Amino acid sequence: MATPVEKWVEESAAVTRPKKVHWCDGSEAEYDQLISDMLATGTLHELNQQAYPNCYLHRSDPSDVARTEHLTFVCTSRKDDAGPNNNWMAPPEAKEKVGKLFAGAMKDRTMYVVPYIMGPVTSPYSQLGVEITDSPYVAASMRIMTRMGSVALQRLGSSDNYVKGLHSLGDLSPERRFILHFPEERLIWSVGSGYGGNALLGKKCFALRLGSHMAREEGWLAEHMLIVGIEEPSGRTTYIAAAFPSACGKTNLAMLIPPESQKGYKVFTVGDDIAWMHLGTDGRLWAINPEAGFFGVAPGTNYKTNPNVMETIKRNSIYTNVALTKEGTPWWEGMDGAPPAEAIDWQGKPWTPASGTKGAHPNSRFTTPASQCPAISPHWDDPTGVPISAILFGGRRANLVPLVYQSFSWQHGVLLGATMASETTAAATSAVGVVRRDPMAMLPFCGYNMGDYFGHWLAMGERIKQPPLIFRTNWFRQDQGGKFLWPGFGENLRALCWVIQRVHNEAGALETPIGFVPRPQDIDLEGINISPAMLNELLAVDREGWLQAAEGQGEFFSKFGDHMPREIWRENEDLVRRLKA
Ligand code: OXD
Ligand code: MN
């Protein structure tokens, strides 16, 4: 008798009519075959195999280079459940409209059936998915980004408990591109895009949008957060989860290398983009990274900003939309050294530094196995995950928000996350550099009404006996002349050290209306060239600015109507009161 997944694959094939169906086993031989097929069709280009063994370049359609939030929908029976933070279509309407685009979409193509596990193979917190796709690039990338193949099929057995994801490249036209989520059926439909965030369905679609929905139902948290462990010279390791919007340095922070003056510290990467956090039997919050690879932004990545990832991406990696040098190596703006005198740009056209265009697309990416990262934590694959002691919410803000500060409580911390705003980046197709509200860095990823999401955070706080402390960070504050005040990257460890000391009751702080802010003497400045005036500016609390921000919050909160918890309003009113006192 056919298993539930076999039946669904049959039904999907009857609609999409592929010339062939291939069930992925996840083996190396299968990956090699996928690569050689893509080299033969020009979907991939070989990079210099001496310098970059087993690395390839993919050039996407120029209209398909980033997440398309305006074409992304949450299809719940009731519009209210999706909330004003999501585009919504009624499930029958969505199926009718987009179903047509799947009809015969795989004609003359192979259908790959990709079973995968999000999370460590034997973890009770992991979840299963099956993605059906007609893109060999997606199938190969899923092998890097997830535990994919027989291992997943074995865990699934004859169960029907998995997330279904149907993906077709369609004709790649933005006119016929839709990324649809049906949380009530644990189903994803994606058509018309091969871009990672739209097409690797385990990542944003499952691990965050459906994941957040499942997490609310089941009492856990699915968050857009890196997970990092920091070992102090004493040998004590503290784990931190941190939410930053897309392309705001999560990968760099997850892998930072301690500065010369911070000898004896070690940083261990558990994840760089997504955290699934569950209540442990010990009353703490435990996090797993559901992914098995990094899908990172290439531009700006170099041996200063992230030496660990530079080493990671030297082999077994797929690059997308970077430039190609004469030597057959990948290149992007902000890579070490001078730009190449000539290269092929991300669209396959001859390019020189004088061209006046970007050689690599600003959202060009690498897809690389996490296990290759020199900083990978020995616990990154542990079934129980790691215990989280602190949560950071960080945006990209030129002013107002201090380098780091701590909330007074879990509830106040939820307000810190809920009022986050950040300048937009090239990770999504829309204007770049505009400040937008991005609560908890989840605006594009929360699969249900965000008012209910804040309520879920508050409810979790009630249940966690030893809740992590909550902080806000901002590495991007600028001086009057528009220069960054804080050097960033490895030096961010100094702010994290204060966080860790606060966790262990070992550091002082100034109590201000917005929260506990470190005093200048609370941040270790040994070996760093930063003037007292700059530090004061970095830690300054501008009462007037905060008052305006807090009073302006009401308009945003009101959008969620009675889904917005009273407690969040109250926290904000308390903040206003403290600022006026
Ligand atoms: C990502 C994103 O790719 O957030 O991680 O867009
Ligand atoms: Mn992300």
Side-chain angles (χ1 to χ4, degrees):
M1 233 202 19
T3 61
V5 69
E6 285 166 350
K7 269 178 61 193
W8 175 61
V9 169
E10 253 174 52
E11 285 160 21
S12 304
V15 174
T16 55
R17 298 195 292 282
K19 74 166 191 274
K20 196 172 126 192
V21 178
H22 174 85
W23 286 73
C24 290
D25 62 15
S27 64
E28 203 169 315
E30 176 183 81
Y31 184 78
D32 292 346
Q33 188 62 52
L34 284 167
I35 298 288
S36 64
D37 291 351
M38 286 190 278
L39 288 171
T41 56
T43 301
L44 287 188
H45 305 272
E46 194 169 78
L47 292 177
N48 181 324
Q49 293 295 297
Q50 267 76 52
Y52 287 84
N54 208 14
C55 288
Y56 303 91
L57 165 65
H58 172 65
R59 293 194 188 104
S60 77
D61 187 282
S63 71
D64 187 29
V65 291
R67 282 184 293 99
T68 39
E69 292 176 7
H70 59 297
L71 305 173
T72 301
F73 291 78
V74 168
C75 308
T76 40
S77 315
R78 291 187 331 190
K79 186 171 183 187
D80 223 25
D81 288 342
N85 47 301
N86 283 301
N87 300 311
W88 176 83
M89 259 194 266
E93 180 202 338
K95 295 243 170 107
E96 162 74 24
K97 184 166 175 178
V98 178
K100 289 187 196 125
L101 302 177
F102 279 110
M106 298 190 187
K107 188 171 164 292
D108 301 327
R109 298 180 188 168
T110 298
M111 171 195 270
Y112 301 93
V113 180
V114 183
Y116 62 95
I117 304 173
M118 295 310 287
V121 172
T122 58
S123 172
Y125 306 140
S126 295
Q127 303 264 358
L128 284 150
V130 178
E131 175 165 356
I132 292 177
T133 177
D134 55 10
S135 161
Y137 164 82
V138 166
S141 302
M142 286 295 282
R143 182 170 183 268
I144 297 176
M145 294 304 297
T146 69
R147 283 85 170 168
M148 180 271 245
S150 310
V151 70
L153 218 46
Q154 268 156 26
R155 185 165 158 164
L156 180 62
S158 57
S159 160
D160 199 13
N161 188 9
Y162 66 98
V163 166
K164 300 181 178 75
L166 178 60
H167 169 252
S168 171
L169 293 171
D171 64 4
L172 289 178
S173 161
E175 307 293 308
R176 285 172 290 284
R177 179 177 301 159
F178 291 94
I179 297 95
L180 306 182
H181 305 75
F182 301 90
E184 291 149 9
E185 294 174 67
R186 300 199 171 177
L187 169 70
I188 304 156
W189 275 10
S190 168
V191 64
S193 170
Y195 173 70
N198 293 335
L200 307 181
L201 300 185
K203 194 174 178 62
K204 302 300 179 180
C205 300
F206 178 174
L208 288 177
R209 296 198 192 94
L210 290 195
S212 57
H213 196 275
M214 291 153 82
R216 180 179 173 221
E217 279 179 357
E218 296 166 6
W220 49 283
L221 292 167
E223 301 300 325
H224 193 203
M225 290 181 182
L226 66 90
I227 310 164
V228 70
I230 297 174
E231 185 186 304
E232 294 166 276
S234 64
R236 176 175 71 187
T237 301
T238 306
Y239 291 94
I240 297 175
F244 293 76
S246 307
C248 285
K250 281 201 296 302
T251 307
N252 295 347
L253 188 65
M255 299 176 194
L256 72 73
I257 297 217
E260 272 302 300
S261 58
Q262 307 282 99
K263 282 249 176 323
Y265 282 88
K266 288 191 194 133
V267 173
F268 294 105
T269 313
V270 180
D272 82 325
D273 195 42
I274 300 175
W276 281 358
M277 300 189 283
H278 289 75
L279 260 174
T281 45
D282 61 356
R284 291 190 289 174
L285 197 57
W286 288 73
I288 59 164
N289 169 11
E291 302 191 276
F294 308 125
F295 177 62
V297 179
T301 304
N302 57 49
Y303 273 95
K304 178 166 178 282
T305 59
N306 195 339
N308 276 319
V309 92
M310 290 299 284
E311 288 302 319
T312 311
I313 60 182
K314 283 245 167 78
R315 56 205 156 91
N316 307 320
S317 303
I318 299 177
Y319 291 85
T320 302
N321 292 338
V322 298
L324 182 65
T325 69
K326 256 184 21 214
E327 292 73 39
T329 57
W331 184 82
W332 48 82
E333 278 72 15
M335 207 181 195
D336 305 87
E342 55 182 289
I344 308 289
D345 76 2
W346 66 277
Q347 297 192 61
K349 299 186 190 125
W351 177 91
T352 75
S355 296
T357 54
K358 300 275 188 208
H361 186 275
N363 192 40
S364 51
R365 298 274 179 153
F366 48 77
T367 308
T368 194
S371 58
Q372 291 182 183
C373 177
I376 199 74
S377 162
H379 302 293
W380 84 282
D381 202 23
D382 279 5
T384 47
V386 295
I388 299 298
S389 299
I391 289 176
L392 315 184
F393 292 117
R396 180 185 280 270
R397 292 295 299 275
N399 43 47
L400 195 66
V401 183
L403 178 69
V404 57
Y405 69 97
Q406 183 195 340
S407 73
F408 294 124
S409 62
W410 177 273
Q411 289 81 352
H412 178 223
V414 176
L415 179 77
L416 259 50
T419 52
M420 231 172 96
S422 189
E423 292 155 28
T424 51
T425 66
T429 54
S430 56
V432 170
V434 181
V435 175
R436 74 162 176 184
R437 295 188 185 281
D438 190 355
M440 296 174 172
M442 281 289 278
L443 182 72
F445 306 121
C446 179
Y448 62 101
N449 191 313
M450 234 174 179
D452 297 331
Y453 169 74
F454 300 139
H456 177 52
W457 263 80
L458 292 169
M460 284 296 290
E462 301 284 311
R463 294 177 52 218
I464 311 171
K465 283 207 190 66
Q466 291 186 59
L469 301 186
I470 301 183
F471 298 79
R472 183 110 165 235
T473 65
N474 178 25
W475 322 130
F476 302 95
R477 200 162 181 174
Q478 296 175 12
D479 67 12
Q480 305 286 335
K483 246 185 92 216
F484 288 118
L485 286 160
W486 184 251
F489 308 113
E491 305 298 350
N492 293 341
L493 182 60
R494 297 172 193 274
L496 299 188
C497 282
W498 180 74
V499 165
I500 292 168
Q501 287 159 12
R502 292 294 293 172
V503 162
H504 300 290
N505 278 319
E506 293 163 359
L510 185 70
E511 186 172 338
T512 77
I514 63 166
F516 296 112
V517 180
R519 300 160 304 177
Q521 67 266 34
D522 295 322
I523 303 269
D524 179 2
L525 295 176
E526 169 87 34
I528 187 178
N529 191 11
I530 186 158
S531 70
M534 271 159 92
L535 192 63
N536 280 333
E537 217 173 320
L538 271 163
L539 299 175
V541 177
D542 160 14
R543 268 183 190 250
E544 263 316 300
W546 276 106
L547 196 54
Q548 253 181 35
E551 287 180 335
Q553 249 349 111
E555 195 192 334
F556 178 65
F557 289 170
S558 302
K559 281 192 187 170
F560 301 96
D562 45 353
H563 288 263
M564 194 69 191
R566 263 309 311 153
E567 203 160 346
I568 297 283
W569 282 102
R570 249 195 323 272
E571 282 294 339
N572 200 53
E573 283 152 20
D574 286 351
L575 170 63
V576 169
R577 211 173 7 78
R578 289 194 302 269
L579 285 161
K580 283 186 171 163

